[in-house]
Amino acid sequence: MLLGNLKLDIAEIPHLEEREFHLLERDYLYYRITGKVLFLLVLSGIGASISLFGKIHFGYWLYPILGILLLVLLVEFIGFKYRGYAIRSKDVSFRSGWLFHRMTTVPLNRVQHCEFTQGPLGRLFDLATVKVFTAGGNSSDLDIRGLKKEDAIKVRDHITQLSAEYE
Amino acid sequence: MNRLNLHEPQRQAPLGVAIMFFQNLRRAINFVLAVLVVNLGKDFEVLGMGYRGWGIILAIFFLIYSFLQYRKFFFYVSGDNFVIEKGVLRQEKINVPFARIQTVNTKQNIIQRILNLVGLKVDTAGSVAQEIQIPALSKTYAQELRDFLMEKRYEYQEEEGTEELKVRGEREPLLKLSVSDLFKVGFTQNHLRSGLILFAIVNGYIWQFEDYLIKPFEPYIEETAKSLLTTWVLLLPFAIAAFLVLSVISSLVTTILRYYGFSFYLTDEGLEIESGLFNRNSYNVPFDKIQYFRWESNPLRRVIGYRTLKVKQAGNHAVNDRKLIGIPGLKSRGLLRVIHEHYPDRKGSKYTYYFPHRLMFIQQLVWLGLLPSLALTALFYLQGLSVLFYIPIPLFLLMVSYLSYKYWKSVSLRVNARYVEIRKGFVFPKRIIIPNYKLQNLSQTQSFLQRFRGLKSFHFHTAAGSLRMAQLPSEACNELFDYLAYCIESSNEKWM
């Protein structure tokens, strides 16, 4: 199955090593959990008001929501160490997902532009996202989430600078 | 080219007034139709005037408006830009830098054909929102303007400009569909698809005018529905036959409308297509804008050796359907010529082949065969139907497993230093060829199920959409990933 018949040896092609991936900030885990908990709180609020004014027993919504909360915590805690990014001299990669693993690599000579975003919750945690766009796909092709704000700006400038060299 | 005299603002051909008029009329009719339908059968009177009076007033108003539109429509060259000025109440000025021009296509709808005029449409990189169109030009003028713009585009886009554009001589089309070819293409369309499209369109219209078309018949429908339910088994063959006949007719009609007088040229700049019965369109696809080729067939077409070539251009997803240009009824010889012209070293080095794991077969069998059969069995059991009903189920399962098996066996991927080629489909065979350097980014995914079996799915992202190769062995996927990333990163060919 190896690409044996090519002119160059497969061993010479740089392989994306496990150790080249940087873990994300620990805060990003709490950021994600906070977001999910907030959402569940809103749901519980709706549930609570229904059982206050209606005749539905609170168990009908409380237990499923607690169950979901447990599941979310489990998935987030285990899934966190699967998230990471790697910046090499010629490409950027991001991977994520425990149950459904995904890794995307964007070669720097295909980067169209690169942007920095920070939402309201992100501002609270001082976390930001770097979005990398190529001509493929309709939205951004690679989102590096969970970076400290100053790191994110550094990463964005780095990618912009490297990709500009290919123009 | 001097004859064009584009340094002074130019107007369109005088008959452009008529084109503008019909354009306005069509918009008006769309609007008025709703009013008409609502007032169906009733007398209509506003301010003491009926249909006729208002009709005449509107017609005069449109005529004046169209004339003003025509008078206010200019196009000219200023510096490095092609400029269009238009608008009666709100003046609009569109600047198109020559370097940004992608292609220039001509269009002819039925009115333009009757008046022997041609619409010119300039496609630019990026801006999709702005429609840059000159609706009414004489045929020769449009051709000259098109050539002029395309020449400018090459002048401004190629840094060296060493490649001299060859003079357009008498060209021999690579493919010209005669009427009999047209019928062949029409009869071998995917009838199921055209039938469903027809059904969807008819369905949409019926519900739009529900009040007038269905309400009066409701009592009858309800009555017959009861008896229909008991005899549906008897009626089913008739319904299927009617559906098939309608589908075939619909595919024939759409084919003739779309592909009448179809001719396909291979020029030095790229591909050129002209087709259409009422709306006559011509497309130019410059070679460097093509992201990848896809060619496909179906069981009927395979018998007569026809294939459809689809040319995928860069563009966002909204325009992709329009930009996906299809060339039907291509025999293998012509197809090979196009591909060879575009990818000269396709037959050069050896390829490495990759095949999907049998999980692909199993998954298809479960989702398309096993689960539906189980659901049906449960349904029949709950309804207490006789044994007779269960007979088709094993047959269905057998058919699905055969087709899934054949599908799985048909999927393959081959890679060499220049191209990625994907082949898939047993009933509807498809082949896709992407030059490695046209890839934009790569990704791989692995679900929980795939992890147990050591499999991954590979996703290729190009500027003309994404493609997927599922259930590859993990090591193969990783190796391919590294290799293709290397190919992209080490290439300095312009992907566009």
Side-chain angles (χ1 to χ4, degrees):
Chain A
M1 275 302 235
L2 282 176
L3 290 148
N5 50 25
L6 298 171
K7 275 176 207 131
L8 77 172
D9 190 7
I10 188 78
E12 282 172 28
I13 298 171
H15 177 63
L16 190 50
E17 300 282 346
E18 187 67 19
R19 61 187 155 74
E20 281 175 293
F21 276 95
H22 300 280
L23 272 188
L24 303 179
E25 295 292 329
R26 194 77 193 163
D27 276 350
Y28 183 58
L29 174 61
Y30 307 131
Y31 161 87
R32 285 185 73 87
I33 290 171
T34 313
K36 303 243 151 96
V37 166
L38 280 178
F39 177 70
L40 287 179
L41 272 179
V42 171
L43 277 190
S44 329
I46 295 169
S49 51
I50 288 174
S51 39
L52 268 181
F53 296 111
K55 288 199 167 70
I56 300 171
H57 193 260
F58 71 93
Y60 281 113
W61 55 267
L62 189 61
Y63 296 129
I65 283 181
L66 281 179
I68 293 171
L69 181 67
L70 259 163
L71 212 70
V72 162
L73 287 179
L74 186 76
V75 169
E76 288 299 335
F77 270 105
I78 298 177
F80 181 70
K81 66 171 187 293
Y82 287 92
R83 293 174 185 280
Y85 68 97
I87 300 176
R88 300 192 295 176
S89 60
K90 288 190 168 180
D91 55 29
V92 211
S93 308
F94 188 79
R95 59 171 197 187
S96 66
W98 166 49
L99 286 176
F100 194 79
H101 190 76
R102 182 179 185 95
M103 181 175 92
T104 303
T105 296
V106 175
L108 288 171
N109 55 357
R110 293 289 182 275
V111 173
Q112 296 272 337
H113 68 283
C114 187
E115 68 183 44
F116 161 92
T117 59
Q118 194 179 33
L121 197 60
R123 224 163 283 150
L124 215 69
F125 282 88
D126 193 36
L127 289 174
T129 303
V130 173
K131 291 186 170 181
V132 182
F133 293 80
T134 70
N138 37 7
S139 55
S140 75
D141 299 283
L142 187 95
D143 291 359
I144 306 177
R145 296 165 186 282
L147 294 173
K148 276 221 147 38
K149 192 183 171 189
E150 62 261 30
D151 287 345
I153 291 173
K154 250 186 252 167
V155 166
R156 183 200 58 185
D157 291 345
H158 184 68
I159 292 172
T160 314
Q161 195 192 346
L162 282 178
S163 63
E165 283 169 18
Y166 291 101
E167 286 300 305
Chain B
M1 289 302 151
N2 297 336
R3 292 199 294 133
L4 288 172
N5 190 22
L6 282 167
H7 294 289
E8 280 165 32
Q10 296 286 317
R11 284 209 181 93
Q12 307 176 82
L15 273 173
V17 182
I19 302 285
M20 301 269 189
F21 179 67
F22 283 110
Q23 269 183 1
N24 291 326
L25 200 64
R26 214 180 61 193
R27 267 179 226 143
I29 283 174
N30 278 345
F31 170 73
V32 170
L33 205 65
V35 181
L36 277 182
V37 166
V38 170
N39 289 305
L40 204 67
K42 286 179 218 157
D43 270 337
F44 172 80
E45 219 184 78
V46 176
L47 295 176
M49 272 189 294
Y51 284 123
R52 197 179 297 168
W54 279 107
I56 292 168
I57 287 182
L58 278 178
I60 292 171
F61 169 73
F62 278 135
L63 207 58
I64 295 170
Y65 187 75
S66 309
F67 181 69
L68 289 176
Q69 259 187 329
Y70 163 73
R71 293 285 299 179
K72 294 275 183 193
F73 194 109
F74 296 108
F75 53 92
Y76 53 89
V77 169
S78 119
D80 297 344
N81 297 308
F82 181 63
V83 186
I84 292 178
E85 270 183 46
K86 65 177 177 184
V88 177
L89 298 174
R90 192 169 55 91
Q91 292 278 326
E92 207 179 336
K93 190 171 170 183
I94 305 170
N95 267 301
V96 190
F98 288 129
R100 288 251 319 275
I101 294 177
Q102 293 244 32
T103 64
V104 183
N105 297 324
T106 62
K107 280 184 187 282
Q108 255 187 320
N109 62 26
I110 182 136
I111 291 150
Q112 284 165 325
R113 290 200 73 183
I114 290 169
L115 298 173
N116 205 16
L117 293 172
V118 173
L120 201 72
K121 191 159 175 288
V122 182
D123 272 344
T124 58
S127 74
V128 191
Q130 242 179 4
E131 218 177 335
I132 304 152
Q133 264 199 61
I134 307 174
L137 293 172
S138 77
K139 252 188 177 146
T140 45
Y141 194 90
Q143 195 61 52
E144 275 171 32
L145 186 58
R146 193 198 90 80
D147 287 348
F148 169 76
L149 289 175
M150 287 304 272
E151 194 177 305
K152 282 282 183 202
R153 159 184 185 263
Y154 277 95
E155 238 173 70
Y156 280 85
Q157 279 183 359
E158 263 157 45
E159 296 92 345
E160 284 85 35
T162 44
E163 273 179 67
E164 196 67 24
L165 205 67
K166 281 176 195 130
V167 181
R168 183 188 294 263
E170 279 300 304
R171 297 166 310 157
E172 188 66 24
L174 186 68
L175 177 74
K176 213 174 166 92
L177 292 183
S178 66
V179 177
S180 71
D181 288 335
L182 213 59
F183 272 91
K184 278 190 205 163
V185 169
F187 274 120
T188 56
Q189 290 274 43
N190 186 349
H191 298 303
L192 203 61
R193 215 187 93 213
S194 34
L196 287 176
I197 290 173
L198 184 73
F199 182 74
I201 293 172
V202 169
N203 211 12
Y205 269 105
I206 284 181
W207 294 117
Q208 206 172 342
F209 301 109
E210 187 192 356
D211 288 355
Y212 312 98
L213 291 176
I214 294 186
K215 282 255 170 77
F217 300 104
E218 219 150 59
Y220 309 105
I221 291 175
E222 252 168 54
E223 209 167 280
T224 44
K226 275 175 204 148
S227 54
L228 269 180
L229 218 68
T230 48
T231 53
W232 68 273
V233 183
L234 287 175
L235 277 172
L236 203 63
F238 290 105
I240 290 174
F243 178 77
L244 278 181
V245 170
L246 280 177
S247 305
V248 171
I249 292 173
S250 145
S251 351
L252 256 184
V253 169
T254 46
T255 306
I256 290 172
L257 285 180
R258 260 184 85 176
Y259 295 123
Y260 180 81
F262 182 93
S263 44
F264 166 54
Y265 303 90
L266 203 59
T267 64
D268 300 322
E269 310 159 29
L271 311 176
E272 233 180 285
I273 298 167
E274 248 180 78
S275 81
L277 180 60
F278 294 134
N279 296 329
R280 199 138 176 88
N281 299 324
S282 93
Y283 300 101
N284 293 282
V285 189
F287 276 136
D288 49 337
K289 296 289 174 288
I290 298 171
Q291 298 300 310
Y292 64 88
F293 277 138
R294 190 175 91 191
W295 61 102
E296 56 196 27
S297 189
N298 64 33
L300 292 172
R301 285 212 175 135
R302 229 166 343 168
V303 175
I304 50 173
Y306 274 7
R307 291 201 193 106
T308 306
L309 177 70
K310 295 205 164 153
V311 180
K312 292 275 243 168
Q313 283 177 276
N316 62 29
H317 291 259
V319 283
N320 229 340
D321 276 341
R322 202 162 50 82
K323 296 239 160 162
L324 196 145
I325 290 171
I327 300 156
L330 206 56
K331 295 245 182 198
S332 56
R333 197 119 151 268
L335 180 73
L336 282 177
R337 228 188 103 192
V338 181
I339 290 165
H340 185 76
E341 193 94 3
H342 193 60
Y343 304 132
D345 35 3
R346 179 170 167 248
K347 287 250 181 282
S349 73
K350 267 165 76 186
Y351 285 87
T352 305
Y353 287 81
Y354 295 92
F355 299 98
H357 186 261
R358 65 172 183 279
L359 185 64
M360 182 182 266
F361 163 61
I362 297 166
Q363 271 185 342
Q364 266 206 359
L365 186 59
V366 169
W367 287 106
L368 300 177
L370 228 50
L371 287 178
S373 325
L374 278 178
L376 270 183
T377 313
L379 190 75
F380 289 170
Y381 182 75
L382 286 176
Q383 297 272 318
L385 293 174
S386 74
V387 189
L388 216 64
F389 283 87
Y390 296 91
I391 292 173
I393 293 178
L395 292 177
F396 168 74
L397 209 61
L398 219 65
M399 195 186 74
V400 171
S401 37
Y402 175 71
L403 289 177
S404 312
Y405 180 79
K406 279 293 186 185
Y407 178 80
W408 167 53
K409 278 291 169 196
S410 75
V411 179
S412 74
L413 169 75
R414 62 178 198 176
V415 181
N416 74 3
R418 298 277 299 149
Y419 307 110
V420 175
E421 239 179 281
I422 299 172
R423 182 200 281 253
K424 62 168 106 178
F426 169 64
V427 181
F428 299 100
K430 235 179 251 158
R431 276 175 86 162
I432 293 151
I433 176 164
I434 319 167
N436 293 348
Y437 72 92
K438 298 263 182 185
L439 290 169
Q440 294 294 324
N441 61 74
L442 308 167
S443 55
Q444 53 181 29
T445 55
Q446 189 177 40
S447 71
F448 206 57
L449 211 67
Q450 283 177 317
R451 180 141 2 130
F452 282 123
R453 309 215 178 211
L455 300 175
K456 274 178 179 175
S457 300
F458 200 106
H459 303 254
F460 305 89
H461 304 282
T462 74
S466 298
L467 296 156
R468 194 170 79 115
M469 183 74 191
Q471 322 296 12
L472 284 176
S474 276
E475 323 86 82
C477 197
N478 288 339
E479 162 192 300
L480 195 62
F481 201 86
D482 289 333
Y483 179 65
L484 286 177
Y486 168 81
C487 282
I488 302 169
E489 284 154 25
S490 61
S491 128
N492 40 30
E493 276 175 276
K494 277 181 91 104
W495 60 271
M496 190 156 135

